[in-house]
Amino acid sequence: MNKLAKVIEQLKELSNGEIINVPLPDDNLLDDYEKEINFCFSKEYRMLLKEANNIFYGTIELLLVTKDKKYPSELSLVLNEAREQGLPENWLPICQDNGNYYCLIPDGTVHYWTLDGYSNDSWKDLADWIEQVWISGD
C-alpha cells in the first residue's frame, strides 16, 4: 500500500464514518469534470477524490466534485472565484481555508495560496498535506 493510500485509510478511521452527504465521484465524472474545468487531475488526486471526497474530519474539507454542482464548496465554482482573485492558472485549489486555498500544482506539491499572493507554506505531496494539515491540524 502506498503512502497516500495509507493516509487515506487513516483519515477514514479518524473520521469514524462522518461524511458529507454527497456521492463519491467515479472515473467518468472525473473525466467530464476535467474537460469542463480544463485541468488534468493527477493519479493521486483522482484517488483522493474517489476515496475521500466526502470525508468530514476536523476543520478540513476537500472541495467537492459532484455531478449537479449545487454546493458552495464545489471545485468548479471555487476554481473560478480563485482565478478571479489571481490564483495562477496551473494551480488547482483542493481545499478552501477562510478565503485562502490549499492548491495542487503541476509538480505534485501542495502550496498554500493567500489572497495577497503566494505563501511559503508547502508540502511535498498530497499524502504529506493530508498528514500534516488535515489530520494533525498544523
Side-chain angles (χ1 to χ4, degrees), residues 63-104:
L63 293 176
L64 298 172
V65 172
T66 65
K67 187 173 185 156
D68 52 15
K69 298 174 186 63
K70 66 179 183 178
Y71 302 95
S73 60
E74 182 72 38
L75 173 60
S76 60
L77 298 173
V78 173
L79 176 62
N80 289 334
E81 292 169 7
R83 285 186 175 158
E84 286 173 8
Q85 296 167 356
L87 183 76
E89 287 290 318
N90 63 344
W91 288 34
L92 182 70
I94 59 171
C95 176
Q96 201 169 10
D97 178 37
N98 295 321
N100 302 314
Y101 307 95
Y102 292 98
C103 300
L104 190 57

Side-chain angles (χ1 to χ4, degrees), residues 48-138:
L48 179 61
L49 290 172
K50 292 190 315 184
E51 295 190 28
N53 195 215
N54 64 352
I55 288 180
F56 182 79
Y57 177 73
T59 60
I60 297 292
E61 186 178 305
L62 289 176
L63 293 176
L64 298 172
V65 172
T66 65
K67 187 173 185 156
D68 52 15
K69 298 174 186 63
K70 66 179 183 178
Y71 302 95
S73 60
E74 182 72 38
L75 173 60
S76 60
L77 298 173
V78 173
L79 176 62
N80 289 334
E81 292 169 7
R83 285 186 175 158
E84 286 173 8
Q85 296 167 356
L87 183 76
E89 287 290 318
N90 63 344
W91 288 34
L92 182 70
I94 59 171
C95 176
Q96 201 169 10
D97 178 37
N98 295 321
N100 302 314
Y101 307 95
Y102 292 98
C103 300
L104 190 57
I105 66 170
D107 68 2
T109 59
V110 178
H111 286 264
Y112 189 67
W113 187 85
T114 64
L115 287 173
D116 58 358
Y118 178 75
S119 162
N120 288 328
D121 294 336
S122 66
W123 299 265
K124 72 177 187 171
D125 56 28
L126 281 169
D128 277 357
W129 177 78
I130 292 167
E131 280 182 326
Q132 295 171 25
V133 177
W134 200 348
I135 292 174
S136 297
D138 294 340

